Amino acid sequence: MNQALDENMYSSLMETLAYFSSVKAQEKYMINGTPEEYITPDDLVEDFITEFEFFHNSEFPQRQQQFENNLSHNVQAVLQDLYSHLKSNELDLEKYSFETLNKLIHSDPAWAKARELALKTIELSQFNLAKWESENA
């Protein structure tokens, strides 16, 4: 029997990927965020890693099975690539301050790779990024 992927975690994962994919959202919430509404690059990376690991925790093999049963192999592969990229520490987020986040978002190659992988996952999942941006960014 094919159990549905935990809907709350799936929604959270898609939202995290949307923030990674959207330059518009990154500009709004990272560069121009307010004390009430902001996102830090560190938090975004940590959110994705936590969400990915939720489905891959060896103590809960049923989550891994749900993940494999409900996401295409292509989506799983790109998510694994993004996870590996973020865990490899290619992103040196400590070198960026609030004043230099624009450089991170617009010219850091490791951040661009993360955004590309997140966008590829969004596209493969048929998540409506344009609609999400119109409502959130």
Side-chain angles (χ1 to χ4, degrees):
M1 184 173 181
N2 186 10
Q3 286 186 303
L5 196 59
D6 184 294
E7 191 59 39
N8 289 334
M9 284 306 295
Y10 179 76
S11 295
S12 181
L13 178 62
M14 287 295 110
E15 183 145 328
T16 298
L17 291 168
Y19 281 109
F20 255 121
S21 301
S22 174
V23 172
K24 188 176 177 182
Q26 291 173 21
E27 289 173 340
K28 179 177 180 179
Y29 294 106
M30 287 183 191
I31 296 172
N32 299 308
T34 67
E36 296 80 29
E37 288 189 310
Y38 68 92
I39 296 172
T40 67
D42 292 336
D43 287 343
L44 191 55
V45 169
E46 184 61 33
D47 286 351
F48 174 78
I49 289 171
T50 299
E51 291 159 2
F52 185 85
E53 289 176 349
F54 173 86
F55 291 109
H56 293 84
N57 187 323
S58 62
E59 293 179 28
F60 302 98
Q62 70 277 15
R63 291 180 189 162
Q64 177 68 30
Q65 192 63 47
Q66 290 174 354
F67 187 83
E68 292 171 359
N69 289 344
N70 289 279
L71 297 176
S72 74
H73 291 293
N74 290 341
V75 170
Q76 291 176 51
V78 178
L79 286 171
Q80 181 64 55
D81 288 348
L82 177 56
Y83 178 78
S84 297
H85 174 65
L86 294 176
K87 290 292 279 188
S88 72
N89 295 320
E90 286 183 48
L91 279 171
D92 184 9
L93 295 177
E94 291 181 8
K95 71 181 178 183
Y96 294 100
S97 66
F98 178 74
E99 292 79 22
T100 60
L101 286 177
N102 194 46
K103 183 177 179 184
L104 169 72
I105 292 168
H106 294 286
S107 62
D108 185 284
W111 191 260
K113 181 177 178 180
R115 183 172 37 251
E116 175 187 312
L117 291 168
L119 183 57
K120 186 173 182 181
T121 305
I122 289 279
E123 291 168 349
L124 288 169
S125 300
Q126 299 177 345
F127 181 86
N128 190 336
L129 184 60
K131 181 178 186 250
W132 181 87
E133 282 183 323
S134 73
E135 296 169 356
N136 296 283

